Amino acid sequence: DLHKAIRRQRQMCIRDSDHIFPGYEKIALTLAQLKNIILEKEYPEWKKMLSAVNCIYIITDRKTGKNYIGSTYGKEGIWGRWKEYAKTGGHGNNVTLQKLYDQDNNYPNNFSWSILETLSISISSYEAINIEKCYKQKLGTLAFGLNNN
């Protein structure tokens, strides 16, 4: 089954017990891992690295294979945005993801967070959103994924 193979591959990228930051390109976090790293343990190396840059990120619904593309462009970098996902149970106040959450509070356990491209911590919202739009177009997430704008 394709979805099981994807899950196994992503689990190989990082394990729950890993407190050492693996590098941006190796990140593929489940909701449990996201909460553990950001809310529960607040690992210093993770916080330092995820606060140092912004990014274009992808949330993959491992149940359906649909993707959501987002960007970060604040002073807190990736850490600040992903902290919202961890605090809200996985939806991060995103309308589409919140609908899935409202139907089933456990649904975000199907999600996996990964980084597609790192961006400067000082990038403007305008620049970051334009890069994000390019990824949405390339990956078809407006027509076939979880993006709605």
Side-chain angles (χ1 to χ4, degrees):
D1 172 64
L2 177 63
H3 296 297
K4 287 181 184 174
I6 291 169
R7 273 195 291 271
R8 275 195 304 276
Q9 181 186 11
R10 288 176 187 260
Q11 288 168 351
M12 288 190 308
C13 290
I14 181 168
R15 297 179 306 274
D16 280 316
S17 61
D18 284 347
H19 62 279
I20 297 168
F21 185 77
Y24 300 108
E25 70 283 352
K26 292 184 181 171
I27 293 174
L29 300 173
T30 64
L31 179 58
Q33 290 170 318
L34 191 71
K35 286 180 176 180
N36 184 50
I37 289 166
I38 293 180
L39 296 180
E40 295 159 19
K41 303 284 194 237
E42 207 173 285
Y43 292 126
E45 189 178 1
W46 278 84
K47 186 172 186 177
K48 175 185 164 193
M49 298 303 288
L50 293 180
S51 298
V53 295
N54 281 299
C55 76
I56 304 299
Y57 62 91
I58 186 167
I59 300 172
T60 300
D61 181 337
R62 295 171 302 165
K63 186 174 182 178
T64 65
K66 292 183 178 181
N67 293 310
Y68 171 84
I69 304 294
S71 61
T72 67
Y73 40 83
K75 292 180 210 167
E76 294 181 359
I78 302 165
W79 184 270
R81 180 65 184 114
W82 284 12
K83 188 173 189 175
E84 285 304 307
Y85 286 108
K87 284 171 39 178
T88 59
H91 62 73
N93 297 310
N94 170 281
V95 174
T96 304
L97 302 182
Q98 178 134 20
K99 284 180 186 173
L100 294 170
Y101 176 86
D102 290 344
Q103 293 168 7
D104 176 2
N105 291 4
N106 291 314
Y107 196 88
N109 290 320
N110 296 307
F111 297 161
S112 176
W113 284 259
S114 300
I115 295 170
L116 295 173
E117 180 179 343
T118 56
L119 305 172
S120 167
I121 192 66
S122 61
I123 195 166
S124 71
S125 59
Y126 177 79
E127 291 173 290
I129 291 168
N130 278 333
I131 298 168
E132 175 187 336
K133 285 178 183 176
C134 184
Y135 273 98
K136 289 176 185 177
Q137 184 177 24
K138 287 179 181 181
L139 298 173
T141 60
L142 289 170
F144 305 106
L146 298 170
N147 288 103
N148 58 12
N149 62 9

